[in-house]
Amino acid sequence: MASYRLGGTMDRGALIGRYPRLSDEQRRALGQQLASDLGAEAVISDPDLLLAYSYDATGERHFPDVVVLPTTAEQVSRAVGIARRMGAPIIGRGASTNLSGGTTPLVGGMVVSFARMNAILDVDEREQWVRVQPGVVNADLQAFLGQHGYFYPPDPSSHRISTLGGNIAENSGGPHCVKYGVTTQHVLALEVVLADGRRLWLPRTGDTSRAIDISSLVVGSEGTLALVTEALLSIRPVQPARRTLLAAFASVDAAMRAVSALIAARIQASALELMDKESLRIVESYVHAGYPVNAGAVLLIELDGLEDDVERAAAQVDLVMQRHDAMECRAAASESEAEALWRGRRAHYGAIARLAPHIWVQDVTVPRPRLADMMDRVLTIAARHNMLIVTAAHAGDGNLHPSMPYNPADAGQVQRLKSADRDILQACVDLGGAITGEHGIGIDKAEHLPLMYGPDELAAMNDIKSAFDPENRLNPFKALWPAERLAEPQSPPSGPLWAPESESQLSDMMRWARAHGQILKIQGQGRRTAPHGYQALDMRAFQEIFDWDADNLSVEVGAGLPAGALARLLAQRGMDLPGVEPFMDDTVGGLVAHNAPYWRSNSGRGWRDLVLAVEWVDARGRRLKFGRKTMKNVAGYDLAKLMTGSEGRLGAIARVTFRIRPAIELPVVFQSNPMAAEEAWDAALRLMAQPDRPEGILLVKRFGSTDVSLWCTGGLTARPRRQAIEDGVGTPGAWASGSDAWLDTEQERLHQVYRAVADHRYQRGMVPVDGMRGAYLRLMAHQSPSVFYCPGPGWYEILGAEGDNRHQVPVNDEVLHLAERVSRVFDPDQILR
């Protein structure tokens, strides 16, 4: 589709015309050099064969100069090095199911096809991870894991053909992300090849003990920062029971009111999909799935878990649907009927594609309570531009896909499509949403990023691109375009202010400190005192609650708000955030900035999985905001995760938007009798393998002991679940119920942590994914310090130990240098420590 200009942005044609192209002679030389190094069978240069690599699912066509099909990471490294030396751009490619033009070779160059790097290299069922090459098809991994009783949660609609490397590049979601999260929640570690051909293992996602979280930046970066050559991914046990229900409503608005009621009733669906009236008519005529075509909207609801729990939840769903005016609510009577219902949802794209020579699929995300409003606006836009727009949505996370069939040979229709497309993006932003939830920016939306981001934010993302890829070789002009830069103020404000009360004051203070070379240490509660010669920056004035949205399961607060105050507010309203407790005096910004370990949720990697958006002021004095109050957002680089664990090295956090959840009604804590470290490890893995595993699991070695106790917590009130815990642990222990039991346990643990921090005898970190058992046993072999170890994410805390790096995952010096280059994007003079 031809480009069109957003006010103030550069036209794509003029922009890419400046990029140097290879001459015919250079193109031949590149192909010859690659064939000589990789073998002729790994190189495609025939123009007729290059056609297959000139487009993706968008249909826009741009020919590459050459294609390579490596089989190893080493071959990728060599090929990238050759392309760089010969001045060719480099585009990674999986199955090219991409719907935003992200894999089209816009300016020619070398396409690296990962089709032959399709091996599942290793799997550890007990520790629940799998190691794969990027060309593995998502559905092939699911089939392989299914034989072992496990699954990989992200399942985009294209999972039968899309590859895991592409899923990582786009941070793909899918129907089940409403319960299990998107790709970034399941990426543990990545091997990448950088733009200069260097091959590196990046640190574990979420491990900020030695560097900022540059690994999380690569996820969703659309191949513009690095090429992924290997990935370690987390997997989960298959749930023993599953039910699919269909609920029909007179309108989309009625359906979304029922969704809100499900959330309020604490019913956790594993998938929650919505189709509008026009979708039902078109899809049903195509696949005969059994949809009620007279309905204004349909919800598809999937529940999974233990058999009794699923049956109970299905009865609750039926009751909620009836109370909220469902025209009908029925459960699939068989596996084949359930499959037919889901086949219809997956066929949405294909059914609409029959209506015209081409189809344009948009992808926007709004806060869940605004989904019905957004769908109404889409219908209004369709009428305004005389276009058919058919919409399906992931109702659980506010992600909708307006689809527009059109004829590219009809110039008038194409122009109306462009205008409608632009209006949809603007409407999404007006409702507080993100212009893409899972399809990415690609070439489709790069010119529209100014709808979401100002010049400072666009400049920051461009500088991150330059930190990874200074010559702009990797997938140029995708994900973002070169940005207009605001001139930095030349005269700093007079006089410092070390306890700012507004973001404007904070910006002035940062600019003053930079101009005067003042080294700063950002503080919340002040538990970690500023070293001699540093100026402490007190952030405790930022205590406002800016946005409370229980229906969206989100809250936005000032970074200086005490965690205890937030926890008490959440408890009063029946909500919860796992990392905060009522007795804590830490600021929420401090917890996020330090990625403070918590163990009440053991499947993620800390605060990165709870933070939806961060607003901060960097050392240049720029006020930056990344992320939105949406559950899915792949517009630009994921800088909200970069701030998590940054310890003030990138700026001072002013506001944070969190993902919250309904509170557990009656927390339960179990503490086993002490046992040998090996026994405790095996017991923890047995619990992790349970489909309905405890929410939190912690292994604890007390000061002066050689034995380990296993603690677990969650809503484990039913006797069968308690019995399953005891059977899994294999040794007796003590049970305690109620919020006081949990709070007493956690308060005692955190007070030990606080004392160790104050005495400078505290260590924390994460262990290697593929060596967790050995690392755990080495940690527990210490004779004196107390050790807390969380087997899900693999973090540990040592209390009473001298500060050293004996237990931390080794980090390559090249990785540290890369992290430093990224840090200088925000703090070029290194005034933040």
Side-chain angles (χ1 to χ4, degrees):
M1 189 173 75
S3 76
Y4 52 99
R5 296 186 62 182
L6 180 67
T9 65
M10 184 178 293
D11 179 74
R12 189 214 293 176
L15 186 66
I16 66 176
R18 301 177 183 179
Y19 197 93
R21 302 293 187 101
L22 298 184
S23 66
D24 290 341
E25 182 179 347
Q26 289 173 320
R27 192 178 299 114
R28 285 192 295 271
L30 174 61
Q32 291 168 359
Q33 182 62 50
L34 289 167
S36 174
D37 191 283
L38 274 66
E41 71 282 356
V43 180
I44 297 174
S45 54
D46 185 314
D48 291 336
L49 298 179
L50 293 178
L51 172 66
Y53 299 88
S54 66
Y55 58 91
D56 62 9
T58 58
E60 187 169 338
R61 185 170 295 167
H62 299 273
F63 277 77
D65 296 311
V66 67
V67 174
V68 295
L69 294 99
T71 56
T72 66
E74 178 57 31
Q75 286 188 337
V76 176
S77 175
R78 298 204 306 267
V80 169
I82 291 169
R84 183 211 175 195
R85 289 192 296 273
M86 302 190 75
I90 301 147
I91 303 94
R93 180 184 174 101
S96 275
T97 57
N98 182 266
L99 287 164
S100 63
T103 57
T104 55
L106 196 59
V107 288
M110 179 183 74
V111 166
V112 181
S113 170
F114 290 102
R116 295 177 182 173
M117 292 180 66
N118 59 355
I120 298 171
L121 301 170
D122 197 6
V123 63
D124 192 314
E125 299 168 35
R126 283 170 54 79
E127 298 186 13
Q128 298 186 18
W129 55 261
V130 63
R131 185 163 58 93
V132 298
Q133 289 183 314
V136 174
V137 172
N138 186 297
D140 290 345
L141 177 63
Q142 305 291 9
F144 170 81
L145 293 173
Q147 299 172 4
H148 300 263
Y150 285 82
F151 75 107
Y152 174 63
D155 60 340
S157 297
S158 60
H159 71 280
R160 295 189 184 279
I161 50 176
S162 65
T163 63
L164 295 169
N167 294 169
I168 292 168
E170 298 296 336
N171 194 16
S172 298
H176 291 97
C177 72
V178 65
K179 179 176 181 178
Y180 295 106
V182 296
T183 296
T184 190
Q185 272 84 50
H186 301 279
V187 173
L188 299 174
L190 295 172
E191 183 194 54
V192 300
V193 169
L194 299 179
D196 58 7
R198 284 179 297 161
R199 179 181 164 198
L200 301 171
W201 271 100
L202 299 180
R204 287 194 60 175
T205 53
D207 183 2
T208 57
S209 55
R210 294 195 62 195
I212 55 177
D213 191 2
I214 56 174
S215 303
S216 290
L217 274 180
V218 172
V219 181
S221 65
E222 304 186 41
T224 63
L225 301 183
L227 298 179
V228 174
T229 51
E230 199 170 304
L232 275 162
L233 308 171
S234 65
I235 59 178
R236 291 183 66 102
V238 171
Q239 297 290 345
R242 185 171 307 219
R243 297 288 185 277
T244 296
L245 298 94
L246 179 147
F249 296 86
S251 67
V252 168
D253 189 57
M256 289 309 300
R257 287 197 300 270
V259 170
S260 296
L262 283 180
I263 293 167
R266 295 182 171 87
I267 299 170
Q268 175 66 80
S270 56
L272 191 54
E273 299 290 294
L274 181 145
M275 286 188 287
D276 67 7
K277 183 178 182 64
E278 197 65 23
S279 293
L280 294 172
R281 181 185 65 81
I282 295 170
V283 171
E284 183 62 19
S285 68
Y286 181 48
V287 297
H288 309 294
Y291 296 151
V293 294
N294 62 323
V298 153
L299 288 176
L300 280 182
I301 306 162
E302 184 182 271
L303 305 167
D304 66 2
L306 301 179
E307 183 71 41
D308 289 347
D309 293 338
V310 169
E311 289 299 327
R312 190 180 307 111
Q316 288 180 287
V317 169
D318 183 69
L319 184 61
V320 169
M321 296 298 105
Q322 299 306 329
R323 286 177 174 172
H324 287 79
D325 303 321
M327 298 166 59
E328 69 167 311
C329 182
R330 56 184 165 89
S334 64
E335 187 65 33
S336 60
E337 184 179 344
E339 175 55 31
L341 293 175
W342 285 108
R343 185 169 62 250
R345 172 62 183 90
R346 290 192 295 269
H348 189 265
Y349 179 92
I352 297 167
R354 299 181 307 150
L355 304 180
H358 200 65
I359 180 174
W360 186 254
V361 180
Q362 196 44 272
D363 161 53
V364 293
T365 304
V366 294
R368 182 174 41 241
R370 309 306 300 270
L371 184 58
D373 191 1
M374 183 64 202
M375 293 182 77
D376 284 343
R377 294 192 185 200
V378 168
L379 292 176
T380 300
I381 291 167
R384 182 190 308 145
H385 296 288
N386 191 26
M387 293 289 298
L388 173 64
I389 305 181
V390 184
T391 302
H394 306 300
D397 52 45
N399 185 198
L400 69 157
H401 299 302
S403 301
M404 293 176 273
Y406 74 103
N407 182 359
D410 184 335
Q413 196 175 52
V414 169
Q415 187 56 49
R416 296 199 308 275
L417 169 71
K418 294 176 185 179
S419 299
D421 185 53
R422 166 67 166 74
D423 287 352
I424 288 171
L425 298 181
Q426 183 66 64
C428 154
V429 174
D430 290 345
L431 292 175
I435 62 174
T436 176
E438 57 187 2
H439 291 175
I441 294 294
I443 55 179
D444 166 30
K445 301 189 184 76
E447 60 194 331
H448 296 297
L449 276 174
L451 289 172
M452 284 183 64
Y453 299 115
D456 282 340
E457 287 135 338
L458 293 169
M461 287 192 286
N462 271 278
D463 287 342
I464 284 173
K465 164 71 170 170
S466 296
F468 276 83
D469 178 18
E471 297 175 346
N472 193 23
R473 297 293 180 199
L474 289 177
N475 215 7
F477 308 115
K478 310 292 178 56
L480 72 161
W481 284 1
E484 172 192 358
R485 296 176 183 273
L486 293 179
E488 295 186 15
Q490 296 302 307
S491 56
S494 60
L497 183 66
W498 304 127
E501 297 181 352
S502 68
E503 288 165 69
S504 177
Q505 289 181 354
L506 180 57
S507 176
D508 287 347
M509 185 280 307
M510 287 288 193
R511 290 193 291 111
W512 188 96
R514 183 185 180 197
H516 292 83
Q518 174 65 61
I519 305 300
L520 299 177
K521 185 70 174 178
I522 300 167
Q523 287 189 169
Q525 174 59 27
R527 201 176 303 283
R528 296 168 174 83
T529 57
H532 180 70
Y534 290 26
Q535 173 61 54
L537 173 60
D538 188 338
M539 295 295 296
R540 285 177 291 181
F542 290 76
Q543 295 196 16
E544 186 173 349
I545 296 172
F546 296 99
D547 182 68
W548 169 265
D549 194 340
D551 196 15
N552 190 54
L553 296 181
S554 66
V555 62
E556 182 184 17
V557 301
L561 183 70
L566 178 58
R568 291 190 294 272
L569 171 68
L570 292 168
Q572 290 167 6
R573 302 186 182 185
M575 292 292 168
D576 178 44
L577 183 65
V580 300
E581 306 298 347
F583 58 81
M584 296 172 68
D585 60 359
D586 308 74
T587 62
V588 293
L591 293 175
V592 171
H594 288 277
N595 199 20
Y598 60 89
W599 68 280
R600 198 150 53 87
S601 179
N602 61 31
S603 59
R605 280 166 304 291
W607 288 92
R608 70 185 292 279
D609 294 335
L610 301 177
V611 171
L612 296 175
V614 178
E615 188 167 336
W616 78 94
V617 176
D618 72 2
R620 300 175 186 265
R622 299 182 299 188
R623 296 169 62 176
L624 306 170
K625 180 178 180 179
F626 288 91
R628 290 294 185 272
K629 56 178 282 189
T630 57
M631 301 302 125
K632 293 158 73 175
N633 173 18
V634 290
Y637 300 143
D638 194 350
L639 299 192
K641 286 190 175 54
L642 189 67
M643 285 299 291
T644 304
S646 61
E647 298 188 346
R649 288 170 287 185
L650 308 181
I653 297 175
R655 304 185 188 191
V656 187
T657 303
F658 293 109
R659 182 198 315 268
I660 58 177
R661 64 185 188 179
I664 294 173
E665 294 185 0
L666 185 63
V668 174
V669 178
F670 173 78
Q671 295 188 21
S672 77
N673 292 343
M675 60 186 113
E678 294 91 339
E679 292 179 69
W681 176 254
D682 291 338
L685 294 189
R686 287 194 295 271
L687 294 187
M688 293 287 289
Q690 293 179 355
D692 190 36
R693 65 193 186 191
E695 182 187 51
I697 301 173
L698 190 67
L699 297 168
V700 180
K701 186 180 84 68
R702 293 292 193 183
F703 186 86
S705 173
T706 58
D707 289 334
V708 176
S709 292
L710 185 148
W711 300 359
C712 62
T713 188
L716 311 171
T717 54
R719 183 64 210 171
R721 293 191 182 179
R722 292 194 182 196
Q723 189 62 53
I725 298 296
E726 292 176 356
D727 293 344
V729 173
T731 190
W735 289 93
S737 299
S739 57
D740 288 345
W742 157 255
L743 292 177
D744 289 346
T745 301
E746 184 63 355
Q747 190 165 16
E748 179 190 354
R749 185 188 76 84
L750 282 177
H751 281 173
Q752 293 182 57
V753 170
Y754 295 156
R755 285 195 296 270
V757 170
D759 294 340
H760 303 286
R761 295 175 67 82
Y762 172 79
Q763 293 180 46
R764 69 183 175 101
M766 298 180 83
V767 300
V769 178
D770 51 355
M772 291 181 71
R773 180 186 178 91
Y776 158 80
L777 292 175
R778 288 191 295 274
L779 282 165
M780 295 301 181
H782 285 277
Q783 294 301 310
S784 57
S786 294
V787 180
F788 297 112
Y789 183 90
C790 197
W795 62 256
Y796 64 85
E797 294 179 291
I798 304 178
L799 316 185
E802 298 292 342
D804 61 39
N805 296 321
R806 287 174 295 166
H807 312 288
Q808 294 178 344
V809 181
V811 179
N812 188 296
D813 285 343
E814 292 179 321
V815 171
L816 294 177
H817 293 152
L818 177 58
E820 183 181 345
R821 291 200 300 275
V822 172
S823 294
R824 286 179 179 269
V825 169
F826 307 97
D827 181 16
D829 302 307
Q830 294 188 301
I831 66 167
L832 301 175
R833 303 291 172 82

